[in-house]
Amino acid sequence: MINVIGLGYIGLPTALMLASHGVEVIGTDYNTELVGKLQAGELTFEEKGLAELFGAAVQKGIRFCSEYQSTDIYIVSVPTPYDKNSKKVDACYVVAAVRSVMEVCPKGATVVIESTIPPGTIDKFIRPVVEANGFICGKDIHLVHAPERIIPGNMVYELEYNSRTIGADDLGIGEKIKAVYSSFCKGDIVVTDIRTAEMTKVVENTFRDINIAFANELAKICRSDDMDVYEIIRIANMHPRVNILTPGPGVGGHCISVDPWFLVGDYPGLANIILAARKINDGMPRFVIHRISQIMKETGLTDVRRVGLYGMTYKENVDDVRESPTLQMLERMEDGLSGGLVQVYDPYVTRKIAPNQHDTFESFLESVDLVVIMVGHDEIKQNMKMLSGKVVFDTRKICDLPGIHRL
Ligand SMILES: NC(=O)c1ccc[n+]([C@@H]2O[C@H](COP(=O)([O-])OP(=O)(O)OC[C@H]3O[C@@H](n4cnc5c(N)ncnc54)[C@H](O)[C@@H]3O)[C@@H](O)[C@H]2O)c1
């Protein structure tokens, strides 16, 4: 039996995937409200294909509870934020979860950390917890790191088809855990040591952050000297070895905007390009605010209350708002653009999290003259015609209406 600890965006799909492939699974989360919903057959977030997977897992007997179970394999998938001052990983959730596991696990158990962690985290934070409970790592308790690569919006497919990395002290244990993931994963599974697995995951997200930052920096350079960054990228990408990404309003979510900080925090003085990329991407919401002011001047609009931000999530077609560029913008009160005045709307965000948040696309459009496309949800892509007559600032390059404004 496997006890999956933490039933959020990563833990829940993983638990469901294992269960639907015949593995006996109990999912544990200390959030009793969340557990209650799952027990009642309700999903806790929206994701393509998740409802079907949930149905299949329930049929195979998955259970959800708030108590940790005594079993031989644990998969820990709890948050790993970074400390805003030191930029280092804040391992408190993983430490607390492993501490609770130690209270119930039998000798011989394997604890798999799926949460993203920088190199050295298991050595520094997790081994001491195991040993403080009288266990010997590698003998009584086996530690494994199996980071997750899935992207919200396509999680179910990617769980099955992505390749994965498994880091273990003991390659035999690594192979045992590989067999568990192989119950549903059709991608290659590489078994390596723990520090390599820790570093690889953080490096992957850092690579993405740096490449996004390059596109964003180009957008700023081109804007400052009246060049069309999108056309320049289109032409440059015809080079066989160039693949520049599309600029955007910033980077959000729980991965790309967080993980590079771990390297900045742990390797100060060495992580220079990584730090620069983080600053560029974190500066994009401010650049969008600056562009809104410019566009308002150019078009003669003066009433900030008739500016509308479309999209509050950090990416398209998901309901996750963590670290999203829109929320970062709403927190800023600069450039004459008060976050408390602008109108906002997102079809995926139904609970009220911002002032002037609309329930429908129609009421949002009625209240605004300038639409700022912050997220390229399918809803707006399929209803572009509804924007005619509005001033449109498209930060995602999804709209081809005449007179469109871009980054
Ligand atoms: N969300 C993503 O797209 C993504 C992708 C790859 C990797 N990751 C990594 O996966 C990890 C989990 O991220 P997430 O997005 O699923 O987080 P989340 O916040 O959606 O879910 C975490 C869950 O853990 C529960 N929890 C926290 N501490 C607990 C404890 N001690 N005992 C029991 N339950 C506990 C919380 O109640 C919550 O439901 C993070 O390290 C993240 O970086 C996330």
Side-chain angles (χ1 to χ4, degrees), residues 66-335:
S66 300
E67 294 78 35
Y68 285 64
Q69 306 297 308
S70 175
T71 184
D72 48 356
I73 299 180
Y74 295 86
I75 294 181
V76 177
S77 190
V78 297
T80 43
Y82 70 99
D83 180 278
K84 292 280 184 314
N85 294 317
S86 71
K87 313 299 185 200
K88 290 172 187 282
V89 68
D90 176 356
C92 69
Y93 295 95
V94 194
V95 165
V98 173
R99 210 170 263 146
S100 303
V101 166
M102 290 302 114
E103 285 168 15
V104 294
C105 70
K107 275 192 177 178
T110 300
V111 181
V112 181
I113 309 292
E114 266 211 11
S115 302
T116 304
I117 45 176
T121 305
I122 289 197
D123 288 345
K124 201 165 156 197
F125 296 101
I126 306 302
R127 287 189 207 283
V129 173
V130 173
E131 281 153 17
N133 282 271
F135 293 120
I136 300 171
C137 287
K139 182 165 173 265
D140 302 327
I141 298 294
H142 303 288
L143 294 175
V144 172
H145 179 44
E148 185 49 75
R149 287 177 169 153
I150 55 177
I151 188 166
N154 200 25
M155 284 178 158
V156 176
Y157 176 86
E158 290 204 355
L159 263 174
E160 200 171 341
Y161 291 100
N162 281 359
S163 55
R164 315 187 60 106
T165 315
I166 289 179
D169 294 330
D170 174 329
L171 291 186
I173 296 293
E175 291 296 331
K176 184 181 115 182
I177 297 304
K178 176 176 172 175
V180 170
Y181 282 101
S182 297
S183 65
F184 64 82
C185 175
K186 297 185 173 69
D188 286 341
I189 302 181
V190 177
V191 178
T192 183
D193 62 274
I194 287 179
R195 271 166 66 88
T196 303
E198 289 173 324
M199 184 61 167
T200 306
K201 168 68 196 179
V202 175
V203 163
E204 289 162 10
N205 282 346
T206 304
F207 173 87
R208 300 268 304 136
D209 199 43
I210 291 171
N211 282 279
I212 295 167
F214 179 59
N216 286 338
E217 187 159 272
L218 288 182
K220 286 183 179 176
I221 291 172
C222 291
R223 174 58 55 196
S224 77
D225 208 12
D226 201 21
M227 291 179 270
D228 181 346
V229 70
Y230 301 99
E231 180 64 355
I232 288 158
I233 291 175
R234 187 183 74 79
I235 297 169
N237 281 349
M238 294 169 93
H239 182 293
R241 284 167 297 283
V242 173
N243 184 17
I244 305 170
L245 302 179
T246 308
V251 173
H254 198 48
C255 291
I256 299 179
S257 67
V258 173
D259 303 347
W261 283 123
F262 297 157
L263 295 179
V264 172
D266 285 348
Y267 304 95
L270 293 177
N272 298 318
I273 193 172
I274 300 171
L275 174 59
R278 271 290 67 240
K279 284 186 177 166
I280 291 164
N281 288 336
D282 270 0
M284 287 312 286
R286 184 167 293 146
F287 183 67
V288 175
I289 292 174
H290 165 67
R291 285 288 296 136
I292 292 173
S293 300
Q294 281 183 335
I295 293 164
M296 288 179 74
K297 271 194 202 117
E298 283 166 22
T299 55
L301 296 176
T302 51
D303 190 352
V304 170
R305 286 168 303 187
R306 294 203 53 90
V307 171
L309 306 183
Y310 176 89
M312 302 168 80
T313 61
Y314 81 89
K315 73 183 288 282
E316 66 283 359
N317 303 325
V318 301
D319 62 5
D320 190 346
V321 296
R322 290 179 293 183
E323 322 278 336
S324 87
T326 306
L327 293 191
Q328 290 178 46
M329 277 173 62
L330 290 174
E331 283 163 15
R332 303 225 161 102
M333 308 284 284
E334 301 155 25
D335 297 32

